[in-house]
């Protein structure tokens, strides 16, 4: 909590993470509610669950790609803008009253790509947070962000249920879109600030190893840390 209150840059990063997470939960709940009203709803719900799950399997590749990325702030902002555009398209599809199953399939595909880009973005954010707060406070920062994110997710589910009473599915899609845009602007503001001060957080060196070599190196490092492999499993 102290690092959140004292470190302005970390505070912006945290708020950006909370915003995008809240928007995602709100829309996911709305979309599941919409799909549950369709004929053969079990198939629709299964497709949505698959579109949410598969990107998590790609996180290891997204993290590898993030480690090879030099302009992290730029790419975080671009990913936020892309996700803003994707969910703005979802909102437009709801407004256009596309037929039920065509809409579900389109949103499932969009959600898949959005979550995949989100995994890549998450890999870009982690090393920047480490530089912003320092090694000493990194554990506290990660714990605080994770804990608050879980609380926000639970609260967002209750709020989302209430919003569905007077907001349309398209409105919730647009709300989700703008949370990503706001998050991107917060990330960009930190990057521009440090660039202006001549204290860029961008790494001078990036991972140049291929994927297999990187995995071997990571496994070797994990074995050296007592208990880390057990925790991972």
């Amino acid at each position: 909590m102290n690092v959140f209150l004292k470190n302005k840059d970390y505070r912006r990063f945290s708020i950006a993470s909370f915003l995008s997470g809240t928007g995602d939960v709100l829309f996911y709940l709305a979309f599941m509610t919409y799909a549950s009203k369709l004929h053969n709803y079990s198939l629709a719900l299964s497709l949505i669950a698959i579109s949410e799950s598969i990107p998590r399997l790609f996180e290891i590749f997204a993290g590898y790609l993030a480690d090879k990325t030099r302009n992290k702030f730029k790419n975080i902002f671009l990913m936020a803008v892309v996700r803003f555009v994707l969910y703005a398209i979802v909102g437009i599809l709801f407004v256009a009253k596309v037929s039920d199953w065509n809409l579900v399939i389109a949103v499932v595909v969009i959600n898949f790509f959005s979550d995949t880009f989100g995994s890549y973005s998450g890999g870009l954010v982690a090393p920047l947070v480490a530089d912003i707060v320092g090694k000493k406070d990194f554990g506290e920062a990660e714990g605080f962000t994770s804990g608050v994110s879980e609380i926000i997710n639970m609260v967002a589910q209750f709020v989302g249920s209430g919003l569905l009473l007077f907001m349309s599915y398209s409105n919730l899609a647009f709300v989700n879109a703008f949370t990503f845009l706001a998050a991107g602007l917060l990330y960009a503001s930190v990057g521009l600030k440090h660039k202006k001060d001549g204290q860029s957080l961008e790494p001078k060196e990036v991972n140049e190893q291929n994927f297999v070599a990187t995995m071997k190196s990571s496994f070797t490092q994990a074995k050296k840390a007592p208990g880390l492999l057990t925790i991972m499993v």
Side-chain angles (χ1 to χ4, degrees), residues 129-220:
V129 171
D131 288 337
I132 287 172
V133 303
K135 293 181 179 179
K136 180 181 177 182
D137 293 326
F138 181 67
E140 179 187 341
E142 284 293 283
F144 174 80
T145 301
S146 298
V148 174
S149 294
E150 289 300 318
I151 295 172
I152 288 177
N153 286 345
M154 289 189 291
V155 173
Q157 292 182 39
F158 289 106
V159 173
S161 301
L163 289 177
L164 283 172
L165 296 175
F166 57 90
M167 288 184 70
S168 65
Y169 297 111
S170 60
N171 286 338
L172 286 172
F174 286 125
V175 167
N176 192 21
F178 280 105
T179 59
F180 287 123
L181 182 60
L185 292 173
L186 285 171
Y187 288 129
S189 68
V190 177
L192 291 173
K193 173 193 170 185
H194 283 270
K195 186 176 181 179
K196 184 178 179 180
D197 294 341
Q199 300 175 340
S200 175
L201 296 175
E202 300 287 1
K204 296 180 180 179
E205 297 181 2
V206 296
N207 179 23
E208 300 293 349
Q209 294 179 314
N210 61 41
F211 179 76
V212 175
T214 299
M215 291 301 101
K216 288 181 178 179
S217 176
S218 298
F219 182 72
T220 300

Side-chain angles (χ1 to χ4, degrees), residues 88-107:
I89 292 173
V90 170
I92 293 171
L93 290 175
F94 274 108
V95 172
K97 298 187 184 302
V98 178
S99 63
D100 291 339
W101 272 100
N102 287 338
L103 177 62
V104 167
I105 293 172
V107 177

Side-chain angles (χ1 to χ4, degrees), residues 2-21:
N2 287 336
V3 66
F4 178 81
L5 296 175
K6 294 179 179 179
N7 193 315
K8 184 178 180 180
D9 292 336
Y10 170 67
R11 190 159 61 246
R12 291 183 182 181
F13 263 61
S14 298
I15 292 172
S17 175
F18 300 154
L19 279 173
S20 57

Side-chain angles (χ1 to χ4, degrees), residues 50-96:
I50 290 171
S51 75
E52 289 279 328
S53 301
I54 292 180
R56 296 182 182 180
L57 300 177
F58 293 160
E59 284 185 355
I60 188 170
F61 302 104
Y64 168 72
L65 182 59
D67 284 342
K68 295 178 71 68
T69 301
R70 292 186 182 276
N71 299 318
K72 287 183 167 53
F73 276 108
K74 177 182 177 181
N75 282 277
I76 290 170
F77 176 71
L78 288 176
M79 290 300 99
V81 171
V82 169
R83 299 180 82 185
F84 161 73
V85 172
L86 288 175
Y87 279 103
I89 292 173
V90 170
I92 293 171
L93 290 175
F94 274 108
V95 172

